[in-house]
Amino acid sequence: MFKRLRMPSLGGATGWLNSEPLGPAELRGHIVLVDFWTLTCINWLRTEPYIRAWSQVYRDDGLIVIGVHTPEFSFEHELDRVRQATKDMAIDYPVAADNDYAIWSAFDNNYWPALYFVDADGVIRDHHFGEGRYKESERVIQRLLGVEREPVGVEGHGVEAEADWDNLRTPETYLGYERSDQFASPNGAVLEERVAYELPERLRFNHWALSGEWTIGREKVMLDQAGGSIAYRFHARDAHLVLSAGAREPIPFRVLLDGGAPGPSRGVDVDEDGKGLLREGRLYQLLREHDAVRERTLEITFLEPGAEAYAFTFG
């Protein structure tokens, strides 16, 4: 598909981190790996340990990794938020901010994450979309560089850990009405209005519901009064939720698992009592099952108004 297709320009970038703007003159003679990402994407987060490792191990051989941050949600357009994410993730390679989707469109890209492997003449020689294929991708890098080594050893931790694919039975679920599905609060959703919702008597598998006063918007649900909750019946080792506090001060929250404290099944963003604090917009890991993975009910309650919830992801 990409035979003899030249790498498009990065000139549409709306900003650069860790580098001055890079163009053909700066990249000429180098092998380039272009990585499309967005800071809340769990699929990208689980690939990032490999991207970091390749950048570090092959940098002296002539590899330049360029992250292209193309935002999915509105708060991901904030360059300071992207800057903080690059720091939190220990990303030291160049990152082009692509707020206008100009680079995304130039590559005719449709996925996060997406990798494009470019040779020293600026020709795209391979690509890969999504997670996996790590050894094969590293072999492509080695072949383009003209080196041959054992693959680097990589192990992800926290949200970067590989998913438990054998036990993952719940899909990514968006909460805003543009892409939402499986909403289970009685009487359904009312769009763009402050409404009091209730949890159903029984939450069905892979369904979610609201309790308290919320406004359901195009890409998110926003809590209008303290004490509102979101519940989800799921089957996975890990449960994550993309959250933002908007312009609010940090918002405390509490996570329950089957009605009780998560204990050792807490995620990295909560303690064993299920307490956490929503500060900046990002993906929060709420649960990581320490025992046999099975169907469970998650409920997150926010103690102050203003919490914005965008999407559940699982692993």
Side-chain angles (χ1 to χ4, degrees):
M1 177 179 177
F2 287 105
K3 187 177 181 181
R4 307 311 299 173
L5 180 64
R6 298 195 66 81
M7 174 180 162
S9 169
L10 303 175
T14 53
W16 284 84
L17 302 175
N18 299 334
S19 174
E20 294 298 318
L22 296 176
E26 292 79 17
L27 300 177
R28 187 173 296 115
H30 289 275
I31 305 305
V32 178
L33 176 63
V34 177
D35 174 33
F36 282 89
W37 65 290
T38 188
L39 65 92
T40 59
C41 176
I42 187 60
N43 307 101
W44 169 76
L45 286 163
R46 293 192 290 240
T47 67
E48 179 53 23
Y50 295 88
I51 308 301
R52 281 199 308 267
W54 296 337
S55 175
Q56 293 161 6
V57 170
Y58 297 107
R59 187 172 299 169
D60 291 343
D61 298 298
L63 176 68
I64 296 178
V65 175
I66 300 174
V68 177
H69 184 270
T70 311
E72 179 173 17
F73 300 119
S74 55
F75 69 85
E76 295 178 288
H77 287 75
E78 300 167 11
L79 191 59
D80 284 344
R81 180 81 283 278
V82 182
R83 183 178 288 108
Q84 184 63 48
T86 62
K87 181 179 179 181
D88 293 343
M89 305 295 293
I91 295 172
D92 63 355
Y93 50 79
V95 173
D98 186 32
N99 281 356
D100 297 334
Y101 277 61
I103 303 173
W104 177 281
S105 298
F107 274 79
D108 196 23
N109 185 55
N110 293 293
Y111 305 98
W112 297 282
L115 295 175
Y116 295 86
F117 303 80
V118 184
D119 69 17
D121 295 321
V123 176
I124 298 176
R125 304 303 295 268
D126 197 9
H127 69 278
H128 178 68
F129 305 135
E131 298 178 62
R133 206 198 75 158
Y134 300 116
K135 289 184 179 180
E136 293 85 347
S137 291
E138 189 170 356
R139 289 194 197 103
V140 173
I141 294 170
Q142 291 183 351
R143 187 168 66 248
L144 293 175
L145 290 170
V147 301
E148 187 173 348
R149 299 180 195 145
E150 286 296 312
V152 298
V154 174
E155 182 179 0
H157 299 281
V159 296
E160 294 183 342
E162 184 176 3
D164 181 0
W165 299 109
D166 291 340
N167 288 298
L168 179 53
R169 300 176 190 169
T170 297
E172 179 176 24
T173 302
Y174 291 90
L175 305 186
Y177 64 77
E178 186 175 62
R179 291 185 283 179
S180 68
D181 197 11
Q182 310 291 57
F183 182 61
S185 285
N187 302 319
V190 178
L191 310 185
E192 302 289 0
E193 291 184 24
R194 177 172 174 168
V195 173
Y197 293 94
E198 297 179 355
L199 300 182
E201 290 187 11
R202 177 179 174 273
L203 192 57
R204 290 184 292 163
F205 178 51
N206 283 347
H207 284 66
W208 64 281
L210 299 172
S211 173
E213 294 194 10
W214 293 81
T215 297
I216 298 178
R218 181 183 61 82
E219 67 169 1
K220 65 189 178 186
V221 296
M222 187 177 76
L223 181 61
D224 295 301
Q225 187 176 59
S229 302
I230 310 173
Y232 200 119
R233 185 76 174 167
F234 72 101
H235 189 294
R237 183 195 67 197
D238 302 339
H240 315 98
L241 181 56
V242 176
L243 294 167
S244 174
R248 303 268 183 161
E249 294 295 314
I251 298 171
F253 61 81
R254 175 89 185 275
V255 173
L256 298 179
L257 182 61
D258 292 339
S265 291
R266 68 183 183 92
V268 296
D269 290 303
V270 302
D271 64 18
E272 291 200 353
D273 290 329
K275 295 177 181 178
L277 192 63
L278 166 55
R279 296 181 184 273
E280 67 279 347
R282 61 177 175 86
L283 178 142
Y284 286 75
Q285 186 182 82
L286 306 180
L287 299 170
R288 168 159 287 171
E289 179 63 72
H290 84 291
D291 203 350
V293 178
R294 57 199 186 277
E295 193 173 311
R296 312 292 296 267
T297 297
L298 173 163
E299 184 174 351
I300 180 170
T301 301
F302 300 93
L303 306 185
E304 298 291 343
E308 301 174 353
Y310 291 78
F312 281 99
T313 59
F314 302 89

